[in-house]
Amino acid sequence: MYSNKNIYTLYLNFLLCLLFIFFSGVQVNTVRAQSAVTTIKGTVTDAATKETLIGVSVFLPGTSIGTSTDINGEFLLKTNQVRSNIQVSYVGYKTLTVPIKPGQEQTLTIKLESDAKVLSEVVVVGKKRYSNKNNPAVDLIRLIVDNKSKNQPEQYDFVEYEQYEKMQLSLVNTPEKLKNNLLLRKYDFITNNLDTTVIEGKAILPFFMQEDISQRYYRKNPEKKKTIVKANKKVDFGEFVDNNGILSYMQHMYQDIDIYDNNITIVTNQFLSPIADMAPTFYKFYLKDTITTASGEKLAELEFEPRNTSAFMFTGKMFVTLDGTYAVQSVDMWVGKGVNINWVRDLKIKLDFEKNSDNRYHLSKSQLKTDFGLTANSDAGFYGERVVSFKDFKINEAQPATLYDGEPVEKMFTSADQDESYWQISRHDALTVAEANTYANIDSLVNTPSYRRTMDWATALIAGYKRMGPKIEIGPLNTFYSFNPVEGFRLRFGGRTTTNFSKKFTIDTYAAYGFKDEKWKYYLGGTYSLTDRSIFEFPVRAIRVSYQKDTKIPGQELQFVQEDNFLLSFKRGENDKWLYNETYNIDYLREFENNFSYRIGFRNWKQSPAGSLQYAKVGLVGGGESPLQIQQLTTSEATLELRWAPNQQFLQGKIYRTPIPNRYPIFTLRAAAGMKGPFGGQYDYQNVALNINKRFYLAQLGYADVVTEGGYTFGQVPFPLLTIHRANQTYSYQMQSYNLMNFLEFVSDQYASVHIDHSFNGFIFNKIPLIKKTRLREFVTFKALYGKVREENMPENNPELLRFPTFGDGRQATYTLENKPYMEASVGVGNIFNFFRIDVVKRLSYLDHPNVADIGIRGRFKFDF
């Protein structure tokens, strides 16, 4: 039997169990209610117009849970919280509270009413933490990307329009400093032409102007473009300046801007377009507003900025159509201060589009404005502007097939002769007063004696030639003094005639004397133009004849620099194997507008060893032990060079043309045939070589210059007539030479090579907090050469051939590449003081050769933005 106490205890336990079960049940039910997922999806529209709304905020009141409508006005929201309503808000509309059913899936159609009290301007509030997910701006960008091909002119079978282009370059400073400038203050007609309306607090003084009006045609199949220049006009700085070169370089800096391209090239750098295929990965996008224009077009306003402020990208805003075409209607964008561009203080782009007859859009006007300065805070600098406008845009109107015949760009005979009345009628936009006065002002300036004196000395310092009267100039000045192991101290004096002597005929000459070898060297050449243009004006068609007696390093063919340049006198290691050359040359050069050219010629070449170089046969003299010494080799050869450089532009210097890099390859094929007999030629042989040079643009990763070359020599020849590979024993970094290879170290009768020079353009350094302020740029290079010499050209197999050179102690100095390729690599830092580059070069093979360095430091000057 149970006692009273036990009964009480049992009763109490029973009550506790009931309470436990009761509260447990409540808790279970509550958890179940909370864990049930509520799914709300739907569409938000304008109550009056029925149009869907993009970027509407849909959220649970009192929580951070929410989303926004996509490009179709749709939304999806899920939660496991028990809520009875959601709130819907949008700028310009009344906030709406909508009831929902907890724990269920439901589809809502929500109509927002316009709020009459809203301000006409949208007030932009602070940006939330950025994400591509549930971001209607990113959804819109992806739709723009998907429709890019439909919104470009290339989608049409035919396109035709008139294009007007204006480029100008101006000096920039405060008005007082420009008027009091030491070089300008004497020219009142120049300093009175200031424009103070372009840059706040400063004045611009235009000094370069160029205008073009052309008719453009495009045919899709077969694809062809045609440009007919109806009028062109530009300032002329006279004979001291390469006017066409200035224009070419400005066109290179200010290329056409196509927002639909993945990459946009400006001031020699590639920028990622805000609507590139990968733009959402690198940009942040914000949907700021939707507007309806006066013509009833509905547009979305998007703002964009780079995720990395130092990357080559833009900041700005654009308006995009919401009619299903997702076409760009206008763009305003600029380059941020953190982007690594030399001398650019400000760069702005504005693009405007107009509607076609098929309701799609075409570019109607493009404006690019750039403010240049040596430092960001200086008053002085340059201002550049390019404006391109289009009108009379026609689509799918076929033109006769004959229109596309001939050169892709043709000028009407009257293009350069149109008077001012034609320009006033035909310009798409009127010039400013300062721009309009520029042509006459520069023409007056060029005719002043003080200008000519100033430009004469400037040309001497920059190009190396100084006028000695109107018809003769002396130079190059940097070759007047040099030194080398064979000649010792060398003096040289030379000059040439100018176009004032003759526009069609030019004579150039020099004489030099070596104080160690006590020998005179000299050169005389003449060029005759077979056109009515100067020999310096593209396209050239000319005959050249020359005679030269001088020294030379075997295998050296330097580009864009004279071998007896004073700075190249400083060399590392042993450098005493030279040649005395005596050459007679005649060649004919023909260039075409499409940048194809050919050169045919004949050369008679007598070469004699100099310094420690010996031409010795393996066979012995009279059976003794001394090799037979050869004093001279003579060759007579016909030469042919074919070159094609599509769309190439260049700067014409006093001696060389400097190509302006672009994305197109350059092909150069060279061939020569030696002839035994004529003019004392001692050998029959043929050689051929193909060189391909191309720049690859890799968007944010910079660019790579790649050069491949291969060659073959037919016939039995001594080593001086084999390919002597380009070496470099100077301390400058040479792009197409092997910078740790010794002169005459390798020869081949067949070879293949590749050179890769990659610039990261600050991609790595720009991400390092302290280093990115220096604006330094990273470079890596790799060069490889493989070749061989056939048995018939090996001296040990043929006693009649010259043996390979040796050093004074008998060690071999010249080798073949039989066993493995020659390789070298380097890492470099560029943009030091904006124009200097230093590389640490590492030699990777043939380290056992005598007198070689396995590592070295080299430098070079490079002007670039």
Side-chain angles (χ1 to χ4, degrees), residues 746 752 782-787 817-824 844-846:
F746 291 102
F782 176 76
K783 300 181 180 182
L785 167 69
Y786 184 75
L817 290 154
E818 299 293 340
N819 300 322
K820 55 188 175 183
Y822 172 88
M823 295 182 294
E824 66 180 34
L844 304 176
S845 58
Y846 295 100

Side-chain angles (χ1 to χ4, degrees), residues 279-296:
T281 304
F282 298 98
Y283 277 96
K284 295 179 180 180
F285 294 96
Y286 306 93
L287 184 61
K288 304 309 296 181
D289 198 6
T290 55
I291 64 171
T292 302
T293 65
S295 59

Side-chain angles (χ1 to χ4, degrees), residues 13 59 63 89 102 212 227 353 379 429 472 508 516 551 654 669 672 690 702:
N13 288 337
F59 59 95
T63 74
S89 66
D212 277 330
T227 299
F353 294 78
D379 292 328
D429 293 305
I472 296 175
D508 52 319
K516 183 177 179 180
T551 57
K654 288 288 186 178
L669 177 66
L690 175 64

Side-chain angles (χ1 to χ4, degrees), residues 586-604:
I586 180 170
D587 62 54
Y588 169 74
L589 172 63
R590 175 68 188 274
E591 295 178 332
F592 297 88
E593 290 281 357
N594 63 357
N595 288 290
F596 173 80
S597 67
Y598 67 85
R599 184 192 299 268
I600 56 176
F602 175 82
R603 179 176 72 161
N604 180 258

Side-chain angles (χ1 to χ4, degrees), residues 588-632:
Y588 169 74
L589 172 63
R590 175 68 188 274
E591 295 178 332
F592 297 88
E593 290 281 357
N594 63 357
N595 288 290
F596 173 80
S597 67
Y598 67 85
R599 184 192 299 268
I600 56 176
F602 175 82
R603 179 176 72 161
N604 180 258
W605 178 20
K606 297 176 182 177
Q607 54 175 299
S608 302
S612 67
L613 181 62
Q614 294 183 355
Y615 284 176
K617 288 189 176 181
V618 177
L620 303 181
V621 179
E625 297 182 356
S626 300
L628 178 62
Q629 299 292 328
I630 304 300
Q631 300 302 317
Q632 181 176 282

Side-chain angles (χ1 to χ4, degrees), residues 560-578:
F560 316 129
V561 68
Q562 295 279 330
E563 193 169 287
D564 50 3
N565 185 312
F566 170 72
L567 294 177
L568 297 185
S569 298
F570 300 93
K571 295 182 174 68
R572 61 175 177 84
E574 292 191 25
N575 172 39
D576 58 354
K577 292 178 173 58
W578 285 58

Side-chain angles (χ1 to χ4, degrees), residues 133-352:
K133 187 177 180 180
N134 297 323
N135 186 339
V138 174
D139 296 337
L140 180 56
I141 285 293
R142 287 174 176 149
L143 285 170
I144 297 170
V145 171
D146 291 342
N147 287 272
K148 282 200 297 185
S149 61
K150 300 176 184 178
N151 291 310
Q152 293 176 285
E154 288 77 12
Q155 66 143 331
Y156 299 110
D157 292 330
F158 300 94
V159 176
E160 175 185 346
Y161 53 86
E162 182 183 85
Q163 175 176 307
Y164 167 75
E165 177 180 357
K166 177 189 72 177
M167 284 198 293
Q168 66 120 310
L169 194 61
S170 306
L171 295 175
V172 174
N173 213 321
T174 62
E176 297 76 16
K177 290 181 179 179
L178 282 175
K179 286 182 175 293
N180 297 322
N181 183 279
L182 181 64
L183 297 176
L184 297 176
R185 61 189 181 190
K186 64 179 71 174
Y187 308 115
D188 291 340
F189 61 93
I190 295 289
T191 56
N192 288 334
N193 193 40
L194 301 182
D195 187 344
T196 58
T197 64
V198 177
I199 301 177
E200 184 178 357
K202 296 181 182 180
I204 69 169
L205 177 59
F207 66 88
F208 176 83
M209 281 286 299
Q210 181 266 339
E211 297 176 275
D212 277 330
I213 299 176
S214 59
Q215 194 71 19
R216 304 288 180 111
Y217 301 90
Y218 169 78
R219 183 182 66 193
K220 186 175 183 178
N221 188 22
E223 189 173 32
K224 195 86 172 183
K225 294 181 180 180
K226 187 75 172 187
T227 299
I228 298 176
V229 180
K230 298 191 288 188
N232 63 343
K233 186 178 184 180
K234 66 174 182 286
V235 300
D236 188 345
F237 293 101
E239 59 196 287
F240 296 99
V241 177
D242 176 20
N243 295 283
N244 291 329
I246 291 178
L247 178 59
S248 295
Y249 198 78
M250 289 195 66
Q251 289 173 340
H252 175 59
M253 290 196 301
Y254 297 147
Q255 297 184 28
D256 291 337
I257 299 172
D258 187 348
I259 194 69
Y260 290 103
D261 282 344
N262 285 331
N263 294 291
I264 299 172
T265 303
I266 307 173
V267 289
T268 75
N269 291 289
Q270 272 205 340
F271 291 78
L272 188 71
S273 169
I275 58 171
D277 296 346
M278 294 295 292
T281 304
F282 298 98
Y283 277 96
K284 295 179 180 180
F285 294 96
Y286 306 93
L287 184 61
K288 304 309 296 181
D289 198 6
T290 55
I291 64 171
T292 302
T293 65
S295 59
E297 296 169 313
K298 190 172 182 180
L299 304 175
E301 180 185 355
L302 284 170
E303 290 186 358
F304 51 89
E305 63 184 13
R307 294 175 183 260
N308 178 4
T309 57
S310 60
F312 282 83
M313 290 184 279
F314 301 101
T315 302
K317 67 178 180 178
M318 71 176 78
F319 287 89
V320 181
T321 62
L322 297 177
D323 58 359
T325 62
Y326 302 107
V328 177
Q329 198 258 3
S330 68
V331 182
D332 282 279
M333 58 188 184
W334 54 92
V335 174
K337 301 297 183 182
V339 180
N340 185 352
I341 311 179
N342 292 333
W343 304 297
V344 175
R345 296 185 292 208
D346 192 20
L347 190 153
K348 295 180 179 178
I349 297 170
K350 181 174 176 58
L351 305 175
D352 294 307

